[in-house]
Amino acid sequence: MENKKIEVSICTGTACFVMGASEIMLIEDELPDDLKDKVEIKGVTCLEKCKNSSCGKAPFVVVDGKVVQQATMATVMEAIRTALNA
């Protein structure tokens, strides 16, 4: 089985940043050892999800191509684990 690397893009636009993305940006420090080499985390200027109310509410994080709205450290961690098990 090949080592799958999950891409996590955290929106750092103003709305997302003040709604909690600033805290989520620290997720790399919180990753358990078994996940550290399986996840690539990056901040992106804006995912433009807040412009479309059907996407939900900020902060937005994209985990392996799937949008997590109202993201928290816990929901992003859960999305990472789900993506790795898919």
Side-chain angles (χ1 to χ4, degrees):
M1 186 170 154
E2 79 178 58
N3 286 343
K4 183 178 179 182
K5 199 147 190 161
I6 300 300
E7 186 175 294
V8 178
S9 299
I10 303 167
C11 182
T12 59
T14 303
C16 288
F17 194 80
V18 298
M19 295 296 291
S22 58
E23 182 179 316
I24 298 167
M25 286 297 294
L26 302 174
I27 196 167
E28 201 161 16
D29 297 334
E30 301 294 322
L31 285 173
D33 288 339
D34 66 317
L35 296 181
K36 288 189 185 224
D37 64 339
K38 298 175 183 171
V39 179
E40 179 183 340
I41 298 168
K42 64 181 181 178
V44 295
T45 306
C46 187
L47 292 171
E48 298 191 20
K49 301 296 180 190
C50 56
K51 295 177 181 180
N52 182 347
S53 62
S54 69
C55 289
K57 295 182 180 177
F60 294 100
V61 176
V62 176
V63 177
D64 200 32
K66 294 186 174 116
V67 176
V68 179
Q69 55 110 359
Q70 289 185 305
T72 63
M73 194 79 80
T75 59
V76 172
M77 199 75 76
E78 181 181 329
I80 291 169
R81 290 201 180 275
T82 298
L84 284 168
N85 293 323

